[in-house]
Amino acid sequence: MKVVAFNGSPNKEGNTWNALKMVTTELEAAGIETEIVQVGNKAIRGCIACYQCVKNKNEQCALADEINEWVQKMKQADGIIIGSPVHYSAIGGTMKSFLDRAFFVTGVNDSMLRHKVGAAVVAVRRSGGLPTFNQLNNFLNYAEMLIPTSNYWNVIHGRTPGEVVQDLEGVQIMRVLGKNMAWLMKLVEHGKGTIPPPEREPKTMFSFIH
Ligand SMILES: Cc1cc2nc3c(=O)[nH]c(=O)nc-3n(C[C@H](O)[C@H](O)[C@H](O)COP(=O)(O)O)c2cc1C
């Protein structure tokens, strides 16, 4: 089994990376392969609402950049982690651009993330951790992913790169998340062929426009 983690920070080995590393260390210890992909330092523009992904259904975003390769990584993985620093009480801009586009493409292509395991982590200096965590979880929920929990919300505190290792409660939150994620992934794997998943319902769209 494999987990791909996306680092939404412009800092290569900053606090978000450290948080991801704490989770992936537990996954590795449980025998799950991991990879961390850095998103936040790339030039990723936002969705241009061209709807080509809806029309073509070819697993591609029309803005051909790294995102198409990352979508394939998501497709091949059994689990994903999305991590972001807090920027103005929200997801970092580059990460938000990536998530909007990648989740649109995966969603319209047979909901390719449905029933994979997905978790979110956040690094923050002081305030804005929870709104950012909620924003990240919106993507996982929309995609019908299976979300493991920890013993608190998955937010870790620090300012300068690496400072989060001093947040001992945050470190525990990430460690517990990693253990719970590994366990959930093994349960899902074990259930394959034994417990059938619920049938997929065709999406009902009701936009209050008649
Ligand atoms: C543009 C920008 C906006 C930020 N906004 C906030 C904020 O709203 N609240 C906060 O507590 N920290 C804020 N920070 C600090 C970062 O969230 C914090 O340093 C975090 O640990 C950085 O993670 P990283 O090392 O993975 O980039 C901001 C940092 C930047 C660069």
Side-chain angles (χ1 to χ4, degrees):
M1 283 189 288
K2 181 163 180 186
V3 167
V4 180
F6 294 93
N7 175 14
S9 171
N11 295 311
K12 192 158 188 278
E13 296 193 353
N15 289 324
T16 308
W17 180 86
N18 270 277
L20 292 171
K21 201 73 192 154
M22 290 168 201
V23 183
T24 57
T25 298
E26 295 303 326
L27 292 165
E28 295 268 352
I32 295 167
E33 191 191 335
T34 67
E35 178 186 359
I36 300 179
V37 174
Q38 202 189 357
V39 172
N41 66 340
K42 305 289 189 320
I44 303 292
R45 63 179 296 189
C47 176
I48 58 168
C50 68
Y51 293 92
Q52 287 299 308
C53 57
V54 179
K55 194 174 141 218
N56 298 333
K57 294 201 182 355
N58 60 355
E59 303 184 358
Q60 301 273 316
C61 174
L63 299 173
D65 56 19
E66 290 96 331
I67 284 186
N68 288 328
E69 182 197 330
W70 297 339
V71 162
Q72 290 308 308
K73 282 185 186 287
M74 290 166 115
K75 184 183 180 183
Q76 274 143 32
D78 304 283
I80 64 163
I81 312 173
I82 50 178
S84 181
V86 170
H87 284 178
Y88 287 90
S89 236
I91 299 172
T94 307
M95 184 65 173
K96 177 69 164 60
S97 294
F98 158 62
L99 292 171
D100 285 350
R101 289 172 52 202
F103 275 76
F104 215 129
V105 169
T106 55
V108 300
N109 281 278
D110 208 26
S111 306
M112 60 168 88
L113 301 180
R114 183 176 185 256
H115 294 168
K116 291 182 190 286
V117 174
V121 303
V122 170
V124 59
R125 182 186 72 82
R126 185 175 178 86
S127 288
L130 269 189
T132 305
F133 182 56
N134 293 338
Q135 289 161 26
L136 291 171
N137 275 317
N138 288 341
F139 290 93
L140 308 177
N141 277 288
Y142 184 93
E144 277 190 79
M145 298 192 81
L146 306 175
I147 304 175
T149 50
S150 184
N151 62 359
Y152 212 77
W153 298 277
N154 308 339
V155 177
I156 197 163
H157 288 261
R159 185 176 68 84
T160 52
E163 204 170 43
V164 284
V165 298
Q166 294 172 50
D167 174 11
L168 295 186
E169 187 169 352
V171 170
Q172 185 188 50
I173 293 165
M174 298 304 155
R175 188 168 61 239
V176 172
L177 174 65
K179 288 179 181 167
N180 285 343
M181 184 170 188
W183 184 59
L184 179 59
M185 288 180 69
K186 286 177 184 180
L187 289 178
V188 171
E189 191 62 22
H190 200 69
K192 281 181 186 162
T194 314
I195 307 168
E199 243 175 64
R200 184 179 314 203
E201 290 203 13
K203 179 83 182 145
T204 302
M205 297 281 270
F206 185 75
S207 309
F208 294 92
I209 296 166
H210 301 283

